[in-house]
Amino acid sequence: MITGRQQVRGKVILAGAGPGDPGLITVKTARYLQQADVVLTDRLVSEEILNEYVKPDTEIVYVGKQCRRGVSTPQQTINELIVQFALEGKLVVRLKGGDVSIFSNIMDELETVVSNNIPYEIVPGVTAALGAAASAGIPLTARGYSTAVRLLTYYKSDIVSDEYWKELAETNDTLVFYMSSETLQNVVEKLTENNIAEDKLLAVVEQATTPLQNLHICSLYNYDEQLKLQSFISPSLVIIGKVVALHEQFKWLENSHSTEYYFKPVNQLTAIENLNKATLNATRV
Ligand code: SAH
C-alpha cells in the first residue's frame, strides 16, 4: 500500500490497444483515451492510436518494457505512477498492447489499485494471436483441423516437463507461442523429438496487423534449413498446427518484405526519464 493523499480518487482504466493496426482498437478504449488526463503506454501500442485519440493536453508517459534489452521501466515504477496520478484525481488510462490480460503484468497493477482503493475498470483488446491469425488468413480452430487454441510462452529458463512437451507434440490443439522467437529453436527441437505430425506446420508472424507484417512458414522438420538462421523482427508470434496450411488458401495480405520496426524499441532515455520522474513524484505523495 502506498500511503498519501487519501481524499481524491481518480480512476484507472486498464485497457488493451489491440495488436498494432490502429483500426483494431475497441470503441470503448478509444473513448477512454479521448477523456484521459494521463495515458501510461506500453511499447507495443501504435503511435497512430496515441496521435488520433489522445487530447493534446493529456500527459503521455512511456512505460515500455522490452525483454532482454535491460532498459525496461520497472514494474514498481509503473505501479507508483498509476497510484500517484489516481490520487491526484486523474482519469488514468493504462494502455497495453493486445489484450490486457494475456502475458501482461496486469496482476501487479490490479493488486496496486485494489490495495490503494482506487476505482478501476478492465477493457479488453484484440490479442496478438487473434490479430496475427486474421491477418495471416489462418483460422485458429478451423473445423476438421483443430478444436482448441493454446496461448503459450516459453523462456529457456522455464521448467517444462517432458510429459508436457509430449502432450504438446501430440495434441491437435493449435499452439500459439508469445515472446518465444528467441527460444524457437528449442521449441522446434522439443516438438520434433516428440514426433509431432508432419502435417502440422509452423508460422512466424512478424509485426502482425501492421503495414510491415511478414510471415514465414515451414515444416517443423525443415526448420533448420529454412528458418534457423532468420532473426525475427520484434514483435513476432509463432503459430503451430495443421491450421497453418490454410494460409495458402486464405491469405489476403502479401509480405511487406520490410525489415523496419513498426514499434520503436524501448529507448534507454525513456526508461531513465520515467525512473527519475517516479523518484521525484515519490516525494510528493
Ligand atoms: N498483451 C499482449 C501480449 C504481450 S506479450 C497481447 O495480448 O497481444 C508480447 C508478445 O506478444 C510479443 O513478444 C509477441 O510474441 C506478441 N505480439 C504482440 N503484438 C504483436 C504483433 N503485432 N505481431 C506479432 N506478435 C505480437
Side-chain angles (χ1 to χ4, degrees), residues 246-265:
L246 293 168
H247 162 79
E248 211 31 58
Q249 199 179 344
F250 299 120
K251 66 171 173 232
W252 54 276
L253 257 181
E254 295 302 326
N255 278 350
S256 71
H257 299 293
S258 169
T259 52
E260 281 171 45
Y261 285 100
Y262 180 82
F263 301 101
K264 291 195 198 89

Side-chain angles (χ1 to χ4, degrees), residues 270-282:
T270 308
I272 289 170
E273 269 172 6
N274 285 329
L275 195 60
N276 288 343
K277 179 168 194 163
T279 318
L280 286 175
N281 281 354

Side-chain angles (χ1 to χ4, degrees), residues 136-197:
I138 299 176
L140 291 176
T141 61
R143 196 170 49 236
Y145 289 76
S146 162
T147 51
V149 185
R150 299 196 200 185
L151 304 185
L152 305 152
T153 187
Y154 178 60
Y155 290 120
K156 273 202 183 112
S157 55
D158 283 356
I159 298 166
V160 179
S161 68
D162 289 346
E163 290 78 69
Y164 193 60
W165 280 117
K166 188 166 181 291
E167 211 263 310
L168 284 180
E170 279 169 6
T171 181
N172 277 328
D173 296 354
T174 302
L175 311 179
V176 181
F177 284 90
Y178 286 68
M179 296 180 287
S180 303
S181 57
E182 291 182 24
T183 53
L184 187 53
Q185 166 90 35
N186 233 256
V187 170
V188 170
E189 276 168 17
K190 291 287 187 192
L191 294 174
T192 50
E193 275 166 18
N194 283 288
N195 303 318
I196 187 166

Side-chain angles (χ1 to χ4, degrees), residues 98-156:
D99 177 69
V100 278
S101 68
I102 306 293
F103 299 119
S104 74
N105 282 335
I106 195 173
M107 278 287 285
D108 289 292
E109 296 171 17
L110 282 173
E111 279 163 7
T112 300
V113 288
V114 167
S115 66
N116 284 279
N117 288 323
I118 295 166
Y120 66 95
E121 197 173 316
I122 303 174
V123 185
V126 175
T127 190
L130 304 186
S135 57
I138 299 176
L140 291 176
T141 61
R143 196 170 49 236
Y145 289 76
S146 162
T147 51
V149 185
R150 299 196 200 185
L151 304 185
L152 305 152
T153 187
Y154 178 60
Y155 290 120
K156 273 202 183 112

